[in-house]
């Protein structure tokens, strides 16, 4: 990067250096528009790198209608964006960056390198080649008149671009830059916002003493349900509660107060479970009896004892409990511990190309929008898709002086 005094003023500023912001910047740069990406943290893509620590889940390889169902009430809103840049396009995008991908047994798609860092390095190199500039440790503090105001290591900086893309993230993982502090600035401009709430969050559980022996153990082969939502994923018994992919998809229902139920043997019917529970167990303890008769592992047995005591003596009643064990908990983990958040800029606050109705020339993308989805590639895909959608529309606005919806379609 050259010295700021020698840099020409950018026509477009993208605030936020995550996947949504970088994708918007790429679309603008490909249209020949000068772009400056501004990031509050010391480096770009920090949350992407954190997500890739245990294997970067890029997307989910499944039919688009199935994919869209993961977005719940926001599916209709996001449909045109995901039709233009969905699971197939994400895989092609990664391949174009030199990152071969593979699909796991559950349909989740990962780079063969598994990590996010090679992909991010290749992407930043491509952006630099397109002329995209960036500044880190620049924190957006709102507007001053029509100018964007930034707190920087060198002091206050004001920039008045022709258009702005805000890609500021949700309100979880503040240490990675997503703190929701931007909400006040948008509210002052009359932008409608939905309250932030945790999404993809673990549960707080006040365990009894005997459960300490099970901390860190996975709960496998079960089905969780809350309200109309169900999940066959795994969870981990942690010191603070239950966490993991089996719990996260149920967050919308749990937030609304729906009770949580656990089917310890989802592959057996109630009648089959009951038939495997003879009335007499001889001298065997109940735990051994259940372990042998139903092949329940220690983690599942522990949960049954924790939430089912005193266990029914009647086999039919015990079978019903095993198939629908009520899980007592103290609510979701705090929002800053959630993987993502619900809430943010509402659909009503935006036009069809994600431009703020209250602030013409300013677009919003990524997790700062009011949508949510479970983990499994859905979050990243929608961030990329919304960034691409708004970036192409913003480019069309600058080049033609008007919004043309068709211009953002493939």
């Amino acid at each position: 990067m050259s010295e700021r005094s020698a840099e020409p003023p950018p026509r477009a500023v993208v605030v936020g250096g995550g996947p949504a912001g970088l994708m918007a910047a790429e679309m603008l740069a490909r249209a020949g528009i000068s772009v400056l990406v501004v990031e509050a943290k010391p480096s770009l893509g920090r949350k992407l790198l954190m997500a890739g620590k245990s294997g970067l889940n890029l997307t989910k390889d499944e039919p688009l209608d199935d994919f869209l169902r993961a977005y719940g009430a926001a599916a209709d809103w996001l449909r045109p964006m995901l039709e233009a840049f969905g699971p197939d396009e994400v895989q092609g995008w990664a391949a174009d960056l030199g990152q071969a991908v593979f699909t796991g047994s559950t349909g989740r798609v990962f780079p063969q390198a598994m990590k996010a860092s090679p992909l991010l390095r290749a992407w930043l190199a491509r952006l630099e080649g397109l002329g995209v500039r960036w500044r880190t440790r620049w924190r957006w503090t709102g507007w001053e008149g029509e100018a964007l105001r930034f707190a920087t290591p060198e002091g206050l900086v004001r920039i008045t671009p022709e258009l702005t893309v805000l890609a500021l993230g949700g309100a979880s993982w503040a240490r990675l830059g997503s703190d929701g502090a931007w909400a006040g600035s948008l509210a002052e401009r009359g932008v409608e916002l939905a309250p932030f709430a945790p999404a993809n969050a673990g549960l707080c559980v006040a365990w009894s003493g005997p459960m300490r022996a099970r901390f860190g153990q996975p709960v496998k082969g079960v089905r969780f349900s809350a309200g109309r939502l169900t999940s066959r994923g795994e969870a981990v018994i942690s010191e603070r509660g239950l966490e993991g992919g089996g719990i996260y998809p149920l967050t919308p229902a749990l937030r609304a107060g729906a009770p949580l139920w656990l089917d310890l043997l989802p592959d057996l019917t109630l009648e089959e479970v009951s038939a495997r529970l003879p009335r007499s167990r001889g001298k065997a303890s109940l735990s051994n009896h259940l372990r042998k008769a139903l092949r329940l592992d220690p983690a599942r047995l522990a949960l049954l004892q924790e939430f089912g005591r005193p266990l029914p003596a009647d086999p039919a009643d015990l079978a019903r409990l095993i198939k629908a064990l009520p899980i007592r908990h103290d609510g979701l983990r705090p929002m800053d511990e959630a993987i993502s958040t619900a809430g943010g800029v509402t659909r009503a606050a935006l036009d069809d190309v994600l431009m703020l109705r209250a602030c013409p020339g300013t677009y919003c993308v990524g997790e700062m929008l009011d949508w949510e989805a479970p983990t499994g590639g859905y979050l990243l895909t929608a961030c990329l898709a919304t960034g691409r959608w708004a970036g192409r529309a913003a480019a069309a606005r600058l080049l033609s002086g008007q919004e043309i919806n068709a211009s953002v379609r493939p």
Side-chain angles (χ1 to χ4, degrees):
M1 296 283 296
S2 58
E3 291 298 318
R4 189 167 72 248
S5 60
E7 293 174 351
R11 297 189 70 189
V13 169
V14 176
V15 187
L22 295 179
M23 183 60 84
E26 179 170 346
M27 295 301 102
L28 287 159
R30 286 187 179 281
I33 295 165
S34 59
V35 187
L36 176 67
V37 176
V38 178
E39 168 59 44
K41 292 299 181 178
S43 58
L44 304 179
R46 292 171 81 87
K47 196 170 181 181
L48 180 67
L49 292 173
M50 176 63 75
K53 272 196 168 183
S54 57
L56 180 63
N57 188 183
L58 291 170
T59 191
K60 183 80 174 291
D61 189 2
E62 61 186 359
L64 185 61
D65 284 343
D66 293 340
F67 192 83
L68 282 165
R69 274 193 283 273
Y71 299 91
D76 178 62
W77 181 22
L78 297 176
R79 175 179 284 275
M81 306 170 211
L82 291 167
E83 285 178 340
F85 199 80
D88 290 343
E89 289 76 17
V90 170
Q91 294 177 68
W93 166 77
D96 287 343
L97 287 169
Q99 303 302 304
V101 300
F102 72 94
T103 302
S105 59
T106 61
R108 296 185 178 197
V109 178
F110 301 86
Q112 287 187 359
M114 289 300 286
K115 299 177 181 179
S117 51
L119 184 144
L120 182 60
R121 283 196 300 270
W123 197 7
L124 293 180
R126 182 160 77 185
L127 292 174
E128 190 171 27
L130 289 169
V132 175
R133 296 176 283 141
W134 50 85
R135 287 287 173 182
T136 57
R137 294 188 173 91
W138 281 32
R139 184 173 184 84
W140 183 60
T141 59
W143 285 277
E144 187 173 311
E146 296 305 310
L148 301 170
R149 188 178 61 234
F150 299 96
T152 81
E154 296 81 24
L156 183 65
V157 173
R158 300 173 184 84
I159 303 177
T160 307
E162 295 177 58
L163 66 82
T164 302
V165 178
L166 299 178
L168 295 162
S172 63
W173 292 85
R175 65 189 179 88
L176 299 178
S178 299
D179 58 12
W182 49 264
S185 295
L186 268 65
E188 288 175 0
R189 290 273 170 141
V191 176
E192 182 182 276
L193 303 172
F196 292 119
N200 293 298
L203 284 176
C204 300
V205 180
W207 301 113
S208 65
M211 286 298 293
R212 292 182 178 276
R214 303 298 167 206
F215 290 171
Q217 289 188 359
V219 182
K220 300 180 179 181
V222 299
R223 178 168 54 224
F224 294 94
S225 62
R228 296 182 179 180
L229 302 178
T230 62
S231 172
R232 283 292 301 263
E234 298 180 8
V236 174
I237 301 170
S238 72
E239 182 178 358
R240 299 182 297 175
L242 282 169
E243 309 192 26
I247 295 291
Y248 299 154
L250 308 182
T251 305
L254 294 171
R255 271 200 321 262
L260 178 63
W261 303 89
L262 177 59
D263 184 346
L264 294 168
L265 293 168
D267 295 322
L268 297 178
T269 65
L270 176 63
E271 292 74 19
E272 288 171 331
V273 174
S274 184
R276 296 187 185 192
L277 291 169
R279 293 185 177 275
S280 174
R281 65 174 188 264
K283 295 181 179 181
S285 68
L286 180 56
S287 292
N288 279 334
H289 177 62
L290 293 173
R291 179 177 58 81
K292 292 179 180 179
L294 300 175
R295 297 182 180 178
L296 290 176
D297 55 44
R300 286 184 289 176
L301 280 171
L303 291 176
L304 179 61
Q305 292 283 2
E306 181 74 3
F307 297 112
R309 287 194 309 261
L311 298 181
D314 181 74
D317 291 339
L318 181 56
R320 280 190 286 272
L321 185 64
I322 289 168
K323 292 291 291 178
L325 180 66
I327 304 297
R328 299 182 300 274
H329 61 87
D330 298 318
L332 297 169
R333 298 297 306 166
M335 186 156 57
D336 194 50
E337 297 179 19
I339 292 176
S340 59
T341 50
V345 181
T346 67
R347 182 178 185 178
L350 299 155
D351 68 10
D352 289 343
V353 291
L354 303 180
M355 186 174 71
L356 288 171
R357 298 183 189 278
C359 305
T362 298
Y363 299 76
C364 295
V365 298
E367 289 191 52
M368 67 183 296
L369 305 181
D370 182 23
W371 60 271
E372 63 179 307
T375 57
Y378 303 105
L379 293 169
L380 180 54
T381 299
C383 285
L384 294 170
T386 56
R388 179 182 183 275
W389 186 260
R392 288 168 66 88
R397 179 182 176 87
L398 277 189
L399 296 178
S400 68
Q402 61 182 343
E403 295 291 349
I404 304 175
N405 287 349
S407 70
V408 299
R409 296 183 183 275

